[in-house]
Amino acid sequence: MDNKEREKRIVRVTLRGSIINVFLLVFKFVAGIVGGSAAMIADAVHSLSDFVTDVIVMIFVHISSKPQDEDHDYGHGKYETLATSLIGLALFVVGVMIFYNGAAKIIDVLRGNTVSSPGIIALVAAVVSIIMKEWAYRFTVRAGKKVNSEAVVANAWHHRSDALSSVGTAIGIGGAIILGNKWKVLDPIAAVVVSFFIIKVAWRMIRKSSDELLEKSLPKEEEQEIITIVEKEPSVSDVHHLQTRQIGNQIAIEMHVRMPGNISLYESHVHATNIERRLKERFGEYTHIGLHVEPVKIDGEYKEGKPANGEW
């Protein structure tokens, strides 16, 4: 699909998630305040961060869809990677805040202070959140993989982390309601447990996007696949100086390729074009490919002709 169609699909799926987030944001805050649940209020803050990241995805994916220009020879794909980083950072901050608030309430209980008992409305809100956010995760991650967008997949995990936080919240609130006043502390304990899930997901996002922003090479398996594709081209005897990197949903490949020194410039061009075509068939139409063609060395030197044994 072209960039415009890709952007439309991303905006469409992100808007669907945003509608769910706005509904849950209001519902959870009301349920948390009315039901007196610290865990549910923390859950509501998580839904607020979900909505903010939805906005980030739509803005940055729109920018990343722009074609290359005078200032961006490799296009704008890194903006999508930046969006993934911002989502990860937002998740991390939310996780730390939830941990801090929950830990503070646990300390209050240990000191003999009382905490409010959560109401049934908070439990209902948690169950509704689990169902809706898991649904949002599934249709968002499916769309993200289809359009090959790390930012959309990251946003999908933001949905799932909210669903996970709601699971912990439901357990804490339900335990506090069913087991009575002595177990009110389960509510903030659930908030702390949830915070660890959120921080773990956030760290994974930050690390992956940082690798891309810092120009980390593609995995060894993919680099080996690139070499295999290139070496299938007739007359190619060696691939070296391979350099790869991720640019948003695209990749860049640069390499040196050795061919016989006695073939014409036209022939080497045909071989190079065939290599580019196969790589783009495998890694995408917008893959950036830089090929440096050089003759095969004979007795350690670049020369025309064939080696003495006639083999390349």
Side-chain angles (χ1 to χ4, degrees), residues 206-276:
I206 293 170
R207 186 176 60 183
K208 190 174 189 306
S209 57
S210 296
D211 285 344
E212 289 186 24
L213 291 173
L214 296 174
E215 306 289 351
K216 184 177 180 180
S217 302
L218 296 178
K220 292 297 181 184
E221 298 78 17
E222 290 189 32
E223 289 195 333
Q224 185 55 53
E225 187 177 1
I226 291 170
I227 293 173
T228 301
I229 291 172
V230 176
E231 289 182 341
K232 286 182 179 178
E233 179 65 21
S235 296
V236 171
S237 63
D238 181 45
V239 179
H240 56 285
H241 293 328
L242 176 63
Q243 296 175 307
T244 61
R245 58 195 170 105
Q246 191 81 32
I247 307 176
N249 68 312
Q250 303 165 14
I251 67 171
I253 304 170
E254 296 178 11
M255 72 189 90
H256 290 200
V257 178
R258 285 194 176 127
M259 297 184 192
N262 62 344
I263 65 175
S264 67
L265 175 61
Y266 175 79
E267 288 177 291
S268 66
H269 168 70
V270 170
H271 289 306
T273 301
N274 289 340
I275 291 170
E276 290 178 356

Side-chain angles (χ1 to χ4, degrees), residues 111-131:
R111 288 175 177 174
N113 298 326
T114 58
V115 294
S116 59
S117 179
I120 192 70
I121 187 174
L123 180 60
V124 172
V127 174
V128 170
S129 177
I130 293 168
I131 296 171

Side-chain angles (χ1 to χ4, degrees), residues 19-270:
I19 294 171
I20 293 174
N21 285 330
V22 171
F23 168 75
L24 290 176
L25 168 64
V26 176
F27 187 24
K28 287 180 181 180
F29 265 123
V30 172
I33 294 170
V34 174
S37 170
M40 182 49 63
I41 293 175
D43 226 2
V45 173
H46 194 177
S47 291
L48 175 60
S49 73
D50 272 358
F51 176 72
V52 172
T53 55
D54 287 339
V55 175
I56 290 173
V57 168
M58 287 187 283
I59 292 174
F60 279 81
V61 167
H62 173 70
I63 297 174
S64 71
S65 298
K66 293 181 179 179
Q68 65 184 75
D69 53 31
E70 292 183 1
D71 296 323
H72 300 82
D73 292 331
Y74 286 89
H76 298 75
K78 291 281 182 159
Y79 281 93
E80 193 165 324
T81 307
L82 180 58
T84 305
S85 297
L86 293 176
I87 293 170
L89 287 171
L91 259 181
F92 187 82
V93 171
V94 168
V96 171
M97 288 176 58
I98 292 174
F99 173 82
Y100 176 81
N101 291 331
K105 287 189 176 293
I106 292 172
I107 291 172
D108 282 343
V109 172
L110 294 176
R111 288 175 177 174
N113 298 326
T114 58
V115 294
S116 59
S117 179
I120 192 70
I121 187 174
L123 180 60
V124 172
V127 174
V128 170
S129 177
I130 293 168
I131 296 171
M132 297 191 73
K133 295 300 288 187
E134 180 62 21
W135 175 47
Y137 163 78
R138 290 176 182 274
F139 68 66
T140 304
V141 77
R142 186 166 56 246
K145 290 178 179 179
K146 193 167 186 178
V147 299
N148 191 26
S149 171
E150 286 293 336
V152 174
V153 172
N155 203 29
W157 274 103
H158 208 154
H159 288 311
R160 172 158 277 186
S161 69
D162 202 1
L164 287 173
S165 71
S166 294
V167 170
T169 301
I171 293 172
I173 294 171
I177 292 174
I178 295 171
L179 299 176
N181 291 336
K182 290 183 179 180
W183 294 94
K184 292 178 183 178
V185 72
L186 284 177
D187 184 45
I189 287 176
V192 170
V193 172
V194 163
S195 70
F196 286 111
F197 283 106
I198 296 171
I199 291 171
K200 180 181 178 182
V201 172
W203 175 248
R204 187 167 61 235
M205 289 181 191
I206 293 170
R207 186 176 60 183
K208 190 174 189 306
S209 57
S210 296
D211 285 344
E212 289 186 24
L213 291 173
L214 296 174
E215 306 289 351
K216 184 177 180 180
S217 302
L218 296 178
K220 292 297 181 184
E221 298 78 17
E222 290 189 32
E223 289 195 333
Q224 185 55 53
E225 187 177 1
I226 291 170
I227 293 173
T228 301
I229 291 172
V230 176
E231 289 182 341
K232 286 182 179 178
E233 179 65 21
S235 296
V236 171
S237 63
D238 181 45
V239 179
H240 56 285
H241 293 328
L242 176 63
Q243 296 175 307
T244 61
R245 58 195 170 105
Q246 191 81 32
I247 307 176
N249 68 312
Q250 303 165 14
I251 67 171
I253 304 170
E254 296 178 11
M255 72 189 90
H256 290 200
V257 178
R258 285 194 176 127
M259 297 184 192
N262 62 344
I263 65 175
S264 67
L265 175 61
Y266 175 79
E267 288 177 291
S268 66
H269 168 70
V270 170

